[in-house]
Amino acid sequence: MRVVIDEDIPASLTPRFRAGGHTVDHVEDIGLKGKHNGVLLAAISGSADILVTGDTNLGQQQNLKKFDLAIIVMRPPRLVVDQIIPLIPEVVSAF
């Protein structure tokens, strides 16, 4: 399974998402940092299986049904390392 971590989640946390032999890349590592959501989704749709993001508005901004991709939205109180880390095991178990 290939997982892509969105840029609103710090790249330094990417190794913490690796489990069970899944391939996990941050958008920064695959040259997609700074791309608008539609461009990012189109670029990874079909080649990645899951996008992990903190963008709670993604579903309102994009027609997600047109992308071949599962999306996991992390909802910490703030998208900061200390508040993201406790949620990672639950996200990884959803893979």
Side-chain angles (χ1 to χ4, degrees):
M1 184 163 310
R2 181 166 180 237
V3 180
V4 175
I5 308 297
D6 202 357
E7 67 184 76
D8 54 4
I9 298 175
S12 62
L13 296 179
T14 301
R16 293 177 179 254
F17 288 91
R18 293 189 176 111
H22 301 300
T23 301
V24 181
D25 295 304
H26 193 273
V27 292
E28 188 174 303
D29 298 327
I30 57 175
L32 294 172
K33 182 178 179 184
K35 300 295 181 190
H36 291 287
N37 287 334
V39 173
L40 171 64
L41 292 169
I44 65 174
S45 180
S47 64
D49 301 295
I50 300 171
L51 171 68
V52 177
T53 185
D55 187 347
T56 58
N57 295 316
L58 189 61
Q60 289 77 37
Q61 298 167 352
Q62 302 294 321
N63 177 5
L64 300 179
K65 292 180 182 180
K66 70 180 191 177
F67 300 105
D68 183 21
L69 186 67
I71 298 172
I72 298 175
V73 179
M74 297 185 76
R75 294 178 179 257
R78 291 182 36 230
L79 282 167
V80 296
V81 170
D82 292 345
Q83 293 181 15
I84 294 171
I85 289 173
L87 302 176
I88 292 174
E90 186 177 350
V91 170
V92 170
S93 72
F95 296 170

